[in-house]
Amino acid sequence: MRRILPYLTALTMAALILSPSHEANSHGDVTPQAVDTTGLPKLGEDWSETNPFREDANLKPKAIEIGSSAYNQNCARCHGLQAISGGIAPDLRYLEEDFDGDEWYKERVRGGAVRDGKVYMPKFEGVISQEGLWAIRTYIDSQPDDD
């Protein structure tokens, strides 16, 4: 069985890639879910340059708790449980915990990703607050890089 598994995996992936279905060529219809950020301070209208919860020892645990729930509701479907990607979307555990990583994250979560009219990542701005999106980022940052 162990020898057959790689072939079955490759065959399944080939079927998905070659499928004419819109769902196989993008992430399909993913509707972002609102996030309850009770316990986190309001950050205002202007977006923070970097994750405001990363270095705050008092807020970080609450941000991770909220971010975990929000991630599982909104992100795990494509990015995998505990941010461990199964290949359909980037493995977010390797996103740099610095200005550049935060800048990429903000751009992607706020505006989403659409290619050739297909939604590869939905736009989260306007559905999930800045506090909720930074809480998700804090949760992602808390996940270990290695198994």
Side-chain angles (χ1 to χ4, degrees), residues 38-145:
T38 302
L40 295 176
K42 299 290 183 202
L43 298 174
E45 295 294 317
D46 295 331
W47 269 76
S48 299
E49 290 293 313
T50 59
N51 184 349
F53 306 132
R54 181 180 292 127
E55 302 299 327
D56 190 321
N58 294 321
L59 293 175
K60 189 174 182 177
K62 187 66 174 177
I64 290 171
E65 176 188 333
I66 291 169
S68 173
S69 174
Y71 177 89
N72 286 314
Q73 291 175 37
N74 291 288
C75 313
R77 177 178 182 185
C78 298
H79 290 281
L81 295 174
Q82 298 176 307
I84 302 170
S85 178
I88 194 169
D91 191 315
L92 299 176
R93 296 173 301 153
Y94 300 107
L95 187 57
E96 296 295 324
E97 293 182 38
D98 60 11
F99 177 82
D100 291 334
D102 287 347
E103 191 64 25
W104 182 89
Y105 176 81
K106 283 190 309 185
E107 179 183 321
R108 191 51 65 105
V109 299
R110 291 175 76 190
V114 177
R115 281 178 261 159
D116 299 325
K118 297 173 185 149
V119 176
Y120 283 82
M121 182 163 159
K123 175 182 172 181
F124 288 98
E125 187 168 43
V127 178
I128 300 177
S129 67
Q130 176 181 191
E131 297 84 6
L133 291 170
W134 282 125
I136 291 171
R137 173 79 161 126
T138 305
Y139 167 74
I140 292 167
D141 289 350
S142 75
Q143 300 306 295
D145 291 357

